[in-house]
């Protein structure tokens, strides 16, 4: 009796847009303080720096645009962030979880006094300085 192996079932990927934000802190801080400061964002941050020299963080995920704008405004006006780069970036995620990020279509420079211009349109990266 011969048994035939079933062909491997290929899992489909998923494409879409989600928040991709890099927040640059005004002052270096410890890892614990940086994690505490980023807790309201509700996303797992990737911290840039070491020990008590954390200078920036990257956040990705599906976040409410109104919450993003509110947290960004509070961080900039409160002196927590020096600058930010954020937007809804296109991605292609394989069935195994690997994510390939698409290039930004365009950069939009926004003064920190005009945060209402951060509309989080798909594919645009907003540089808030």
């Amino acid at each position: 009796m011969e048994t035939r192996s079933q062909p491997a079932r290929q899992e489909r990927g998923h494409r879409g847009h989600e928040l991709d934000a890099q927040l640059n802190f005004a002052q270096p801080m410890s890892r614990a303080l940086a994690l505490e400061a980023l807790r309201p964002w509700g996303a797992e941050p990737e911290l840039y720096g070491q020990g008590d020299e954390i200078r920036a963080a990257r956040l990705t995920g599906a976040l409410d645009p109104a919450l993003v704008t509110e947290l960004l405004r509070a961080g900039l006006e409160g002196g927590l962030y020096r600058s930010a780069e954020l937007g809804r970036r296109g991605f292609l995620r394989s069935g195994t979880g690997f994510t390939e990020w698409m290039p930004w279509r365009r950069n939009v420079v926004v003064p920190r006094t005009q945060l209402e211009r951060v509309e989080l349109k798909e594919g645009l990266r907003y540089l808030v300085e």
Side-chain angles (χ1 to χ4, degrees):
M1 180 188 243
E2 184 178 322
T3 60
R4 294 186 182 175
S5 62
Q6 295 284 334
R9 186 173 164 194
Q10 185 176 12
E11 290 189 40
R12 295 183 53 96
H14 173 72
R15 69 175 54 202
H17 289 82
E18 64 184 22
L19 178 74
D20 184 6
Q22 179 168 323
L23 306 171
N24 301 302
F25 296 119
Q27 300 291 323
M29 60 180 65
S30 71
R31 178 177 191 78
L33 284 175
L35 290 172
E36 184 63 30
L38 297 168
R39 184 183 310 239
W41 289 81
E44 187 66 33
E46 179 180 345
L47 301 177
Y48 298 123
Q50 296 178 350
D52 287 341
E53 292 293 321
I54 303 298
R55 298 184 177 275
R58 181 175 183 211
L59 302 163
T60 58
L63 294 173
D64 175 43
L67 177 64
V68 169
T69 303
E70 178 184 321
L71 292 170
L72 181 62
R73 182 178 305 280
L76 288 167
E77 290 176 356
L80 179 62
Y81 308 132
R82 177 175 40 87
S83 62
E85 299 175 15
L86 70 157
R88 292 184 61 226
R89 191 168 187 184
F91 68 88
L92 178 60
R93 189 167 291 133
S94 72
T96 60
F98 175 76
T99 300
E100 182 177 343
W101 293 98
M102 301 300 131
W104 294 106
R105 287 191 328 226
R106 187 167 53 106
N107 292 331
V108 179
V109 178
V110 178
R112 62 177 53 224
T113 58
Q114 298 177 9
L115 290 179
E116 64 278 357
R117 290 183 46 207
V118 178
E119 298 173 348
L120 297 176
K121 291 184 178 178
E122 292 178 356
L124 299 184
R125 178 170 62 170
Y126 297 86
L127 306 168
V128 182
E129 302 173 336

